Structure formats: structure tokens, C-alpha cells
Amino acid sequence: MMSEDPEHLLVVYDDHSDQRSLSLDETSSTEESPNETKLSLETTNDTIPYIGQRFATHDTAYEFYSEFAKQCGFSIRRHRTEGKDGVGKGLTRRYFVCHRAGNTPVKTLNENKPQRNRKSSRCGCQAYMRISKTTELGAPEWRVTGFSNHHNHELLEPNQVRFLPAYRTISDIDKNRILMFAKTGISVQQMMRLLELEKCVEPGYLPFTEKDVRNLIQSFRKVDLEDESIDLLRMCRNIKDKDPNFRFEFKLDANGRLENIAWSYASSVQSYEVFGDAVVFDTTHRLNAFDMPLGIWVGMNNYGMPCFFGCALLREENLKSYSWALKAFLAFMNGKVPQTILTDQTLCVREAIAAEMPAAKHAYCIWLIVAKFPSWFNAVLGERYNEWKNEFYRLYNLESIEDFEMGWRDMVNLFGLHTNRHVNTLFASRALWALPYLRSHFFAGMTTAGHSKAINAFIQRFLSAQTRLAHFIEQVAVAVDFKDQAGEQQTMQQNLQNICLKTGAPMESHAASILTPFAFSKLQEQLVMAAHYASFQLEDGFLVRHHTKLEGGRKVYWVPREGHISCSCHHFEFSGILCRHALRVLSTGNCFQIPERYMPLRWRRVNASVKVFQNSLSDHGERVRLLEGMVSNLVAESAKSKDRLDMAMEHVSVLLERIREHPIPVPVPVPASRYARNDVFT
């Protein structure tokens, strides 16, 4: 008696009255032998196909077999028909086969056409159902005359089978919602979250994937991209005419159509000079209305706020495009390579960075990884998802590599994730995202949740209103300008706040006079905690540990004559802020000021950075931006008291009169520039 459970049903039977060949491979044919089949006419389970089962139409038979396949863990497709509607008896026989039936034919290579290197899922599976047309009872109907449920591959679990293409469907209602979302310019990820909320389903449980949504959006496109590209280049040239410091580069394909374009602003180049040590290259967004990948370079300034460095629109997501974008970015930034660069887990981006920025430390954005967790693990872990996520964060924040790897093995055992491909992929790439492997590299604090949200909110601002492609550059410019103005207001508010000294230590007041309020608050946290640590002098340095601990601690090396201090926790290397352990040693050694080298320029107030700016910036636009920053700082400092304000107004009035009296040189006419493709405009 065969099993009633479809997932374990492995039977082969055939109707001997209908012996015809079944070919699951278009290039070969195999005859079914009666000795290798098992006849079963006793089946009464209506969920399992059986010989003699009848259907009114072949579509009804297909739907029945498809539902059976879904329960078992596979999907089906229509394979072959015999007969033809309108000729003779019409269709007389149909074969439905497993989606992994047959073998992929060898493709003819075409050098002029890019090849998609996709692995086929077909493996010659012989599972099938055959139906034949009969008129024995008068009206035509379809009868099952052959069936095999023997697979040469593993069947999927119920929570996995729904991701097969055959079961991923987008209803007309959802299509209309997605079209509306696309017109508003929100990202595909946001669309998925909104639809999940509307349908009250857990993340990852929609009957379609992000890829399905992207394919649908691409079919919505009704604009002429060639005209859009012409308008886009015209827009860039108009901006260049108005602002000579605007920089852009573009590339045309063999047919003269726009393939890639990248741009940056004078203020962005200026910011990069000081804050380009740590950069996020976000390639997770697209212009939905045009189905174009978008690459955005963002950093963090001395007040802990996002700053825009550059943008690129690409036709394809491949190594060639990303390499081109990175080269364009370096050209904008006068060849200066960042110390660290954070990206998504895209292999092409990783390879492009290795080729174009080999000196930069490449790492993955942890917030982009965590954003995928619901779709990766919610269905797999169920009620234990939050427990697992807390354990992941604990491991992520560890300091020791050994502790991380031991903890990861324990976590895998505890949650039974030995065969989970996402867990295995994360562990294989751990050196690119886990903090124990990254603490000796500078990240400007951009690995924290708060800063990741600020960066994402900044990016979303100019993705929120996509209209015409040519207008997108204007939208970015408006968003950047808005961010600059908002940043100046926040900077002023920070500077107007009364700094509250908590320790009374001379080092604290010294740091407060040099660092921005944002950076000082980070240092102050370490100073407060340093009071809870004890230091013990060793032959080659100091051992510093919490006063409640009897073992462990951090090794601190201090050379007072050279002003050099370092700690085994690598907190300064990672954040640019001295750690509690080093501060404890400095305090023990009667050091009343933090050594100059441990007050990085990127964390200082604007007035402490003026000389460096003046030495590195030469053109008119960049100096105007510098002056704007100085004026902003002047207003912030002057507003702290009435006497300061009176003094500032008096001196600024005198300075303004002197500037007005200074002669303005007559500009020399410059011939119009000739624009050519693949040129960098600087």
C-alpha cells in the first residue's frame, strides 16, 4: 500500500493500454518498460494523481497536479503535447513534468552579446504526469494515463517551495499598488514592507519576491530613455555653465546611448578633503521609474551628520559598471582614496573595489545586512527569531576574534542552523562585517544604528520624488543643499549648548575647547568610564581593567616623550576617540592635556581646521564654501553672550566696509568648452 503522505510518495505507474514514449530531454527519448512500472488503480486519495483519474479539461488537470507538486515540494511545467487543436482530433496527449526535468541545452556563444552566467536548475528529473484525451463516455474528457513521482533531487520544505517561480504571483490589486508606489519613487524594499503591513503578513511571506517586483516595475516603463539621457546630459552642462566647480563624467555605449553618468558638487569635494577617510558606497537603491541602479557616496562630518560626496547612475549592475563609477569618483576627488569604504554584500562591488581601491579597507554595512534578516530568518526560526537576533548582536559587538568564532559555533548548534545558507555565507564573510575583525580600522562611527538611520534618511530624501530623469540631478542638489542648511542649523545648536563638564579633569576642559560637541560627547563618555578603571604598570606598558574584575584587562603602551599612546582595544583606531583605558593611563601619569595627535582634525571645530582647508583648497567656489562655514561658526560663538555679539557686529561692519572698497578684477572671456563623451568635467 503506498504512503498517504505526498511528501514521501515515490511511486511509478503507467496504464499499459497507453504505451507511448516519454522524453524529458528534447535531445533524447526513453521508452518506458512495463517491467519498470507499477500499476496502481486502487488509489482513492483525491490529493494524489492515479491512473484513470478524470478531468474535464487539461487546464484542470494541470492545476490539480500543480497543487499536488506544491504539497510535495516542487513545481511543474508543461512539457510536450501530441496532436494539435483544429487539426484532426486536436490535442490527444499532454505531459506535465517536474520543473527540474530535462537538461539545459548548450548555448551558442555570441561575442557581441553579453552572456548571463546563470546555473540551470534542470537535472534530468523523471517525475511526470501524462493525460490523454478520451470520448468513451460521450463528452470528451482527460484521463491520467501515466504518473511518476520519483525525483532525483531533494524536495523543498513548505516554507521554501513558495519561492519557486511557479508559485510566485502578483495579483492585479498588488500590481496596481506597486505601480502607484513606483510613481512616488519609494524603493522596492519599502514597497515590500508596506505590502507586508497592508496584508498583515510577516516579512518574507508575500507570494512574490523583490526580484518579481523589480521585473514588474521594468515592464511599467513608458518613457523614452534616449530622450531622457539627452536631457540629462544637457542638464549637467547647464549646471556646469553656472557652477564651474560642478563635476560630472559620463559614458556612452557603442550606439551613442548614455550608459553611465556620475557627478559631484564643489561642496562635496571640499567635504571629502577632511571627511573622506571613511565612506559609504550605497548601491542598494534604484530609480524605479527608469529601472537604473544608483550608487551614492556618503560620509560623516565632524558634527556627526551625513555629508554627500557623489552619485552615479548605471545602466547595468556588473563589475565593469562599478569599476567605471569608482574611477569617476576618484577623479572627482583628485585621486584621494578613502581609508575605509562600506558597501552592500554585492560581489561585483567587492571585486571593483579590490581592483580600483586596493589600498582601502573594504567592509560590509552591518545595517544593510541586518535589514535582510526578516526575510532570511523569520520563517526559519519562527518564535526564536528575536532570541537569535539578540545573540547575533552580542557576537557582533565582541572584541576578541576567538570569542566570536567560538560563540558563532555555539549559536549555530543552539539554533540548528548548520545547513542554513545565509548563516554559512555570513560566517564565510565575517572578516568583512564583524567588529572583532574591523576594530583596527577607522569607520567614523558609521557602524552604529543611529548613524545608519541618519544616512538612510538622507538618501531617501532625494529618492522620494522621482519624476523625469533629467530632473533627478536637480533633486539631489536640492536635497544636498537642504542637508547643508539643516546641518548648519544643527551645528549652530550644538555650539550654542552649554558644555557640561562632568569630571573636572583638565583633559576634559582641554578637549571641550577643541572638539565639536558631537566628538566631545563621545570622548566625555570615555573619560567618565575611565574613573572606574585601575591601571597597573608593567615592564612594557600598563594593564588596565575594571575595578570589579580580578582578571583580564587591556594592554596600554605609552611613550610620554613622543606623545604616543595605544591600547589593545583599538578604540582610537576605530573611532578616532581615545578609549577609557588610554585616558586612565594618561590621568595616572599626570597628563593634563590630550596629546595633539589624538585630537584628529576631522573631529575638531571649524575654526581649528581653517589652515588645513586654506592649504588644500584653491578655487573660488571652495573658498566661498569655507567662508560660509566660518561665518556660521562666527554667529554661533557670538550668540553666546551680549558682549560677544556687540564685538562681532562692530568688527564685521568694519570688515564689510573694507571688502566693499576692494576693487573687483574684470573677468577674462573664456571660450565655450567642447564636451566629449568619457571626459571628466572639473
Side-chain angles (χ1 to χ4, degrees):
M1 191 72 178
M2 66 183 178
S3 170
E4 296 294 330
D5 184 358
E7 294 187 10
H8 298 89
L9 182 66
L10 295 176
V11 299
V12 180
Y13 47 86
D14 213 326
D15 185 346
H16 293 284
S17 65
D18 195 359
Q19 294 290 337
R20 294 293 296 271
S21 65
L22 169 67
S23 174
L24 301 187
D25 188 339
E26 296 296 344
T27 62
S28 63
S29 176
T30 58
E31 289 291 334
E32 292 175 338
S33 171
N35 298 326
E36 296 177 355
T37 62
K38 178 179 178 182
L39 182 63
S40 174
L41 300 177
E42 301 175 357
T43 306
T44 58
N45 189 337
D46 290 339
T47 64
I48 303 173
Y50 58 90
I51 297 298
Q53 188 175 11
R54 301 174 187 276
F55 300 95
T57 66
H58 55 77
D59 289 333
T60 306
Y62 179 84
E63 292 173 4
F64 172 83
Y65 189 33
S66 179
E67 185 60 31
F68 167 78
K70 188 174 183 180
Q71 295 175 16
C72 291
F74 68 102
S75 66
I76 65 170
R77 56 184 169 85
R78 294 177 174 86
H79 175 60
R80 198 180 73 223
T81 61
E82 294 180 7
K84 188 175 181 181
D85 284 330
V87 179
K89 297 180 180 179
L91 285 176
T92 58
R93 195 191 311 263
R94 300 207 69 155
Y95 290 90
F96 306 134
V97 299
C98 173
H99 72 289
R100 302 194 67 177
N103 296 292
T104 305
V106 179
K107 292 183 178 180
T108 303
L109 296 179
N110 186 343
E111 295 181 356
N112 298 323
K113 185 178 180 181
Q115 300 295 317
R116 300 182 66 181
N117 186 22
R118 294 191 303 177
K119 185 178 179 180
S120 173
S121 64
R122 299 191 181 187
C123 61
C125 180
Q126 294 289 315
Y128 78 101
M129 185 177 84
R130 183 181 64 223
I131 59 175
S132 300
K133 191 175 183 180
T134 178
T135 56
E136 290 179 1
L137 301 178
E141 62 180 3
W142 293 84
R143 185 182 61 158
V144 175
T145 57
F147 172 65
S148 169
N149 201 41
H150 181 74
H151 300 264
N152 63 352
H153 56 89
E154 292 186 4
L155 300 179
L156 301 178
E157 297 294 330
N159 63 339
Q160 298 173 321
V161 70
R162 59 194 177 86
F163 291 115
L164 290 174
Y167 305 124
R168 301 202 311 256
T169 57
I170 305 179
S171 68
D172 290 338
I173 295 176
D174 290 337
K175 287 180 180 179
N176 291 333
R177 296 289 291 163
I178 291 169
L179 175 58
M180 184 190 71
F181 291 150
K183 288 180 177 179
T184 64
I186 67 174
S187 69
V188 173
Q189 288 182 339
Q190 289 176 315
M191 293 182 194
M192 298 292 285
R193 298 295 86 80
L194 286 171
L195 290 169
E196 286 165 355
L197 291 172
E198 289 179 357
K199 296 177 179 294
C200 298
V201 300
E202 294 292 328
Y205 275 86
L206 288 172
F208 47 85
T209 64
E210 288 188 12
K211 182 180 179 181
D212 299 325
V213 175
R214 295 191 196 283
N215 291 338
L216 179 65
I217 291 172
Q218 187 174 11
S219 69
F220 286 154
R221 291 191 301 167
K222 299 182 183 298
V223 296
D224 188 338
L225 287 180
E226 291 190 22
D227 290 344
E228 287 286 330
S229 299
I230 294 172
D231 291 343
L232 181 60
L233 291 176
R234 185 182 295 117
M235 177 66 69
C236 287
R237 288 163 179 162
N238 289 340
I239 297 175
K240 182 72 176 179
D241 290 339
K242 297 175 183 177
D243 181 6
N245 297 304
F246 174 73
R247 303 182 178 189
F248 76 102
E249 180 180 356
F250 66 94
K251 180 182 179 183
L252 305 180
D253 63 17
N255 297 318
R257 295 175 299 186
L258 183 66
E259 186 172 336
N260 303 320
I261 186 168
W263 69 94
S264 184
Y265 307 97
S267 61
S268 301
V269 176
Q270 174 185 326
S271 295
Y272 186 83
E273 285 292 333
V274 177
F275 309 122
D277 41 17
V279 175
V280 173
F281 183 35
D282 190 333
T283 58
T284 61
H285 302 281
R286 302 174 75 88
L287 287 190
N288 294 330
F290 309 97
D291 193 42
M292 294 185 70
L294 180 67
I296 307 164
W297 290 275
V298 185
M300 180 177 293
N301 68 12
N302 52 339
Y303 283 84
M305 292 175 285
C307 51
F308 176 87
F309 292 144
C311 206
L313 276 171
L314 310 173
R315 180 63 59 194
E316 300 290 342
E317 294 178 281
N318 54 34
L319 174 60
K320 182 180 178 182
S321 295
Y322 288 128
S323 294
W324 179 91
L326 291 173
K327 288 178 182 177
F329 178 72
L330 289 177
F332 297 157
M333 303 306 168
N334 304 312
K336 180 180 178 179
V337 178
Q339 294 179 31
T340 54
I341 183 166
L342 289 142
T343 72
D344 186 24
Q345 296 167 279
T346 305
L347 180 60
C348 291
V349 174
R350 181 177 176 180
E351 293 176 350
I353 290 173
E356 307 303 334
M357 298 181 177
K361 172 60 180 177
H362 179 214
Y364 291 153
C365 296
I366 186 62
W367 67 85
L368 295 178
I369 294 176
V370 172
K372 301 173 184 176
F373 281 179
S375 60
W376 284 357
F377 300 114
N378 215 337
V380 176
L381 295 169
E383 295 179 353
R384 304 191 70 188
Y385 171 72
N386 288 330
E387 179 187 353
W388 172 85
K389 193 173 180 181
N390 291 334
E391 178 62 11
F392 173 85
Y393 276 122
R394 186 188 72 81
L395 296 174
Y396 168 75
N397 285 292
L398 290 175
E399 291 186 359
S400 166
I401 292 177
E402 293 76 12
D403 291 345
F404 173 85
E405 296 190 349
M406 289 179 60
W408 190 272
R409 287 194 293 269
D410 293 341
M411 179 267 290
V412 170
N413 292 331
L414 178 63
F415 293 92
L417 297 172
H418 301 84
T419 59
N420 186 279
R421 64 186 181 93
H422 297 302
V423 167
N424 293 334
T425 300
L426 284 172
F427 186 72
S429 62
R430 60 194 181 280
L432 291 168
W433 59 265
L435 290 186
Y437 300 87
L438 302 175
R439 292 190 184 278
S440 59
H441 301 277
F442 181 71
F443 285 91
M446 290 194 294
T447 58
T448 63
H451 292 310
S452 67
K453 290 180 180 178
I455 291 173
N456 188 61
F458 171 52
I459 292 173
Q460 290 300 326
R461 181 167 186 84
F462 55 81
L463 290 177
S464 61
Q466 299 173 27
T467 51
R468 292 180 60 82
L469 185 59
H471 295 165
F472 181 69
I473 289 183
E474 284 187 328
Q475 291 169 204
V476 175
V478 170
V480 171
D481 185 59
F482 176 86
K483 188 65 184 178
D484 288 345
Q485 294 178 22
E488 289 179 5
Q489 292 177 0
Q490 292 182 41
T491 298
M492 187 180 302
Q493 291 174 0
Q494 282 191 30
N495 289 329
L496 287 173
Q497 292 175 355
N498 292 323
I499 299 296
C500 178
L501 302 181
K502 298 180 179 180
T503 69
M507 279 190 296
E508 185 181 20
S509 57
H510 172 238
S513 66
I514 296 177
L515 300 179
T516 64
F518 167 79
F520 173 72
S521 68
K522 301 298 180 184
L523 180 68
Q524 191 178 52
E525 290 175 5
Q526 299 296 320
L527 276 168
V528 170
M529 289 187 287
H532 298 270
Y533 284 75
S535 64
F536 307 92
Q537 188 162 5
L538 306 174
E539 291 184 3
D540 58 344
F542 294 83
L543 177 66
V544 181
R545 63 172 173 240
H546 197 271
H547 73 94
T548 61
K549 302 291 181 67
L550 298 177
E551 296 180 355
R554 298 288 179 265
K555 288 289 294 292
V556 177
Y557 303 92
W558 184 31
V559 185
R561 286 177 298 180
E562 299 178 6
H564 175 78
I565 191 167
S566 63
C567 180
S568 60
C569 77
H570 298 293
H571 188 272
F572 178 79
E573 290 83 354
F574 184 71
S575 65
I577 302 294
L578 276 181
C579 64
R580 66 201 77 171
H581 316 108
L583 291 169
R584 177 59 181 168
V585 170
L586 291 175
S587 178
T588 303
N590 298 324
C591 185
F592 299 112
Q593 287 191 349
I594 296 175
E596 187 73 12
R597 68 173 67 180
Y598 299 107
M599 306 278 270
L601 175 66
R602 66 128 42 244
W603 292 133
R604 298 190 181 202
R605 295 174 184 266
V606 174
N607 55 356
S609 310
V610 169
K611 290 184 179 179
V612 175
F613 270 120
Q614 289 177 333
N615 291 335
S616 61
L617 307 179
S618 57
D619 62 48
H620 179 77
E622 292 172 337
R623 287 182 175 272
V624 169
R625 293 285 183 178
L626 172 60
L627 179 60
E628 290 175 348
M630 295 172 65
V631 171
S632 175
N633 194 55
L634 172 66
V635 173
E637 292 294 330
S638 302
K640 292 182 178 180
S641 71
K642 183 178 182 300
D643 291 341
R644 282 189 175 191
L645 193 59
D646 292 340
M647 182 186 301
M649 292 179 67
E650 179 182 349
H651 284 78
V652 169
S653 297
V654 174
L655 178 61
L656 187 59
E657 287 299 323
R658 290 181 60 187
I659 291 174
R660 286 172 175 166
E661 293 173 357
H662 198 80
I664 300 175
V666 178
V668 179
V670 179
S673 301
R674 294 177 60 86
Y675 294 103
R677 65 181 183 183
N678 269 341
D679 287 339
V680 181
F681 298 92
T682 59

